[in-house]
Structures are given as C-alpha cells and as structure tokens.
Amino acid sequence: MSKKVRVAIVGCGGIANQKHMPSLKAHADKAEMVAFCDIIKERAEKAAAEYGTPDAKVYTDYKEMLADKSVDFDVVHVLTPNVSHCPITVAAFEAGKHVMCEKPMAHSTEDAKKMIEAWKKSGKKFTIGYQNRFRDDTSTLYASCKNGELGEIYFAKAHALRRRAVPTWGVFPNKSLQGGGPLIDIGTHALDLTLWMMDNYEPVSVSGQVFYKLGRQEDGPAGNVFGPWDPKTFEVEDSAFGLIKMKNGATIYLEASWALNILKSLEASTTLCGTKAGAEIHHGGSYPNDELIYNTVEHNQLMEKTISPKGIVDFFDGGASAEGVREQAQWLDAIINDTEPVVKPEQAFVVTQILEAIYKSAETGKEIYF
C-alpha cells in the first residue's frame, strides 16, 4: 500500500481513548482516522475532533458508516462492549474491511465461530487486542520459550488477580453487555499469554468455579482502587478459577478476580514450569516494576535469574503506552506488507472457548470436554 491506512473507529469510549486512538496517532506516518462511530454522538464528535482528519465523519450507527460510500477506509477497530463484537466484526468483513477487535474476541464460542467464518470468507486481515504480548518482559519470555530454553512446558499458571480493583465505569458490571466479569475481562489476557508461551492451543477439558461473593456485599466496595461500586447493579462474578487440561497432557491453572481477599495482585502474568527450567512474570498492582524471573539448576545449584524492565500500569489511563504503540505498529505493518499479525484469530478463538467452558463448568458443576 502506498497510501496511509485509513481507520474507522467503532466505539469511542474508554479503551478507544486510553489505547487505540493515542497509539494510532503515534503512527501518523502510517495511519489516519477518518470515521468515528458511537451510540453517544458527543463521544464520537469529541474523538473526531481530537484524533480525526479534518474531514473525518461521525456516526451513531455502524451499519450506516459501513454503507456510506462517501468515506473510504481500510480497517475497522471494534472497541465496543463484548456482546456486540460479533455483529460489528461480521458486518465489517462483509463490507470488505480489515478488522482489529478488542479482547476478548467474543463473549461466546458461537459468536466467535461466526467471526472466524466471516473473516475467512473476506480474505482480509483480522486480529484481537491482546496488547500484553508486546511488553518487554513477555516478549523476552516468549523468545526463551520459542528457543526451547524451558524445555517442555507441562504445567502453568495464568494469573489475573486484583485485591480490590473493580472497574466502576462503563458497562463492566453489566452481564448482558459484557458477558462476564474478571474472567472475561482480565483473565483473558493471562490465558492468552500462557497459551502463547506454551504454543499449545489444544484443550481437552476444563473444570471451573465462579464466585459471586464480594461484588454483591453491601460493604464490598470498601477500599476499591477505582472508588465504590453499586452492589445492587453488580451482575457479574467477582472471581473465577479454572483447571485446563491440554491434549498433550499439560495443565494450566487460571485465576481471575476483580475483588478477592488476597495480599498480592498479579495481572496479565504467568508461571511456566518446563523440563529444563521454569519462569515467572510478576506484573500488576503489587509490582511497581515488571519482574521476569527464570529458575533453573546450574553447577548443581538452584539458580534464579531476574530481569526487571521498567514497570507499566495495566490500566490504561490515557496516552500512548509502549505496548499499545507496538501493537498498532505490527498491525499496520501486517496490512501494509500483507503479513500475518502477531495475534492470530485462531488463537483468540481458543481463549474464548476455554473461558466459556469455565463459566459452563461452574454453572453445571461438571467438567466440560471439547
């Protein structure tokens, strides 16, 4: 492509303002934002004024935007509540556009299948917003795994634990729009990183448990990082846990919470146990600096090697974060150079399958088989 990638934004709320639009703006030499859609017109107008081209157009209906022949764009960024990811993504592919969809891919396997089918028919690019793959610590550990330095990784833990950090804005506690709570919101990041490190996307079974405890207690909101929430409108789980068995015998333990009586907050983190060595990433509220720790044996002695790059805050508070800028860089390059994006749709699909299975296992009290 000789021209800039022309981007349409659907959903001009938190994640658009805190990650996508600032990160795209950092690549003004490669991309420009020409259309903005939000059900609240004022939000779309504000986004267009701040990030759009001088002739950027504003919409309140994504269907109208996709049908408008007066504006030309190449890619759609789907940044809406989880339940609406599928219809918008499918419509964008049918309109001949590339799509970046925020995580999770979908709130259900059924919707995720529809998205995969539409993508394959379109011949366009598709990726999911798992920006934690682009951090310094995760990139380093992934290179170690790819080089076989840990050997066969047969046990892992995917950590997404907050002590008291329930998001109190937007639609996060709304089950009908989000599909779930911390499991689908931040557990998805930890699981994505763990599966990616292991290069293992063949689950056999899942056993899960989901809790609705602190979120609905009258005194539950006390001490919350983002201020008090309303227990009466808290419809989703406050914590969830899953045991995932893989086809090759490997096992993954996934833990996720917005509110849990624990001491350490670990988010978008992973623990890997291999036949040659182990490794842990510590990232989140209890860690001002990201920690990557390898453990092994050298000269008959137990050894630990630590790399501590500058830490980042997992919550996007505005501006272009390093991982957000890197995420957009590889996505734009994939479109321009016709290469595969780092986060592949098939991988994100498996994450959705597993998360849904944890919810189903908790609901039925049975292990779910694939």
Side-chain angles (χ1 to χ4, degrees):
M1 296 176 63
S2 58
K3 62 183 180 71
K4 291 183 181 180
V5 176
R6 293 167 64 83
V7 181
I9 303 291
V10 180
C12 300
I15 201 65
N17 284 279
Q18 296 154 4
K19 185 179 79 164
H20 288 260
M21 295 189 299
S23 298
L24 284 167
K25 186 177 180 179
H27 294 289
D29 59 323
K30 294 182 180 179
E32 57 186 4
M33 289 166 271
V34 300
F36 299 82
C37 180
D38 196 285
I39 57 173
I40 300 174
K41 187 177 182 180
E42 291 75 17
R43 281 202 305 217
E45 290 174 337
K46 182 178 181 295
E50 187 172 352
Y51 293 104
T53 56
D55 59 346
K57 302 195 71 172
V58 169
Y59 306 85
T60 56
D61 186 337
Y62 72 90
K63 294 179 182 177
E64 179 187 347
M65 184 191 78
L66 292 171
D68 189 353
K69 302 301 181 183
S70 69
V71 60
D72 177 37
F73 50 90
D74 310 293
V75 56
V76 175
H77 282 220
V78 180
L79 316 177
T80 59
N82 299 338
V83 173
S84 60
H85 285 182
C86 176
I88 300 171
T89 296
V90 170
F93 281 130
E94 290 176 346
K97 312 300 181 183
H98 304 291
V99 176
M100 169 177 267
C101 179
E102 246 309 311
K103 63 78 191 167
M105 183 176 186
H107 78 293
S108 70
T109 300
E110 181 182 1
D111 274 5
K113 284 180 179 177
K114 294 176 183 177
M115 296 164 77
I116 290 284
E117 289 169 0
W119 160 58
K120 290 182 175 179
K121 288 180 182 177
S122 73
K124 295 296 180 178
K125 303 292 181 186
F126 187 23
T127 195
I128 308 298
Y130 286 115
Q131 76 283 342
N132 284 291
R133 292 195 189 189
F134 301 93
R135 296 182 348 225
D136 291 334
D137 54 342
T138 55
S139 299
T140 301
L141 181 54
Y142 176 73
S144 298
C145 295
K146 192 173 182 180
N147 291 339
E149 294 168 22
L150 272 61
E152 177 194 355
I153 303 170
Y154 57 90
F155 178 69
K157 294 181 181 181
H159 311 284
L161 295 174
R162 295 178 181 176
R163 184 176 180 179
R164 286 292 191 287
V166 175
T168 54
W169 60 94
V171 298
F172 282 101
N174 187 321
K175 191 169 185 177
S176 64
L177 292 177
Q178 285 295 92
L183 180 62
I184 200 171
D185 177 43
I186 57 176
T188 189
H189 278 301
L191 181 58
D192 171 68
L193 286 177
T194 302
L195 295 173
W196 185 51
M197 300 293 180
M198 298 173 76
D199 190 24
N200 191 343
Y201 291 91
E202 295 184 290
V204 171
S205 67
V206 168
S207 180
Q209 187 59 276
V210 173
F211 293 102
Y212 299 83
K213 300 291 186 180
L214 303 182
R216 299 180 182 182
Q217 287 182 351
E218 287 299 322
D219 60 350
N224 192 50
V225 171
F226 302 120
W229 67 84
D230 184 357
K232 295 178 182 177
T233 61
F234 199 99
E235 301 174 349
V236 297
E237 81 279 0
D238 45 64
S239 60
F241 308 88
L243 188 67
I244 306 147
K245 298 177 184 177
M246 309 303 285
K247 185 176 179 180
N248 70 344
T251 301
I252 300 170
Y253 171 65
L254 171 60
E255 51 187 9
S257 70
W258 281 343
L260 189 67
N261 288 322
I262 52 171
L263 287 176
K264 294 289 186 180
S265 296
L266 274 170
E267 193 169 344
S269 298
T270 189
T271 297
L272 306 175
C273 300
T275 53
K276 293 182 180 179
E280 296 185 14
I281 282 178
H282 299 158
H283 170 94
S286 295
Y287 298 90
N289 295 304
D290 291 338
E291 297 178 356
L292 169 55
I293 305 170
Y294 295 90
N295 69 83
T296 186
V297 176
E298 292 184 11
H299 310 296
N300 202 35
Q301 298 294 322
L302 299 177
M303 301 288 290
E304 295 177 5
K305 298 180 180 179
T306 303
I307 301 174
S308 299
K310 184 178 179 181
I312 60 171
V313 179
D314 207 50
F315 165 69
F316 288 101
D317 56 357
S321 66
E323 72 273 24
V325 172
R326 292 169 185 165
E327 178 185 46
Q328 295 304 328
Q330 61 80 38
W331 170 234
L332 294 171
D333 286 344
I335 295 171
I336 294 168
N337 301 319
D338 192 21
T339 56
E340 281 195 338
V342 171
V343 181
K344 297 174 177 57
E346 302 94 327
Q347 297 170 338
F349 176 78
V350 174
V351 174
T352 299
Q353 278 187 305
I354 292 173
L355 296 178
E356 183 181 59
I358 292 174
Y359 283 123
K360 284 186 176 180
S361 175
E363 182 181 353
T364 62
K366 299 178 180 179
E367 191 169 10
I368 304 299
Y369 291 87
F370 293 88

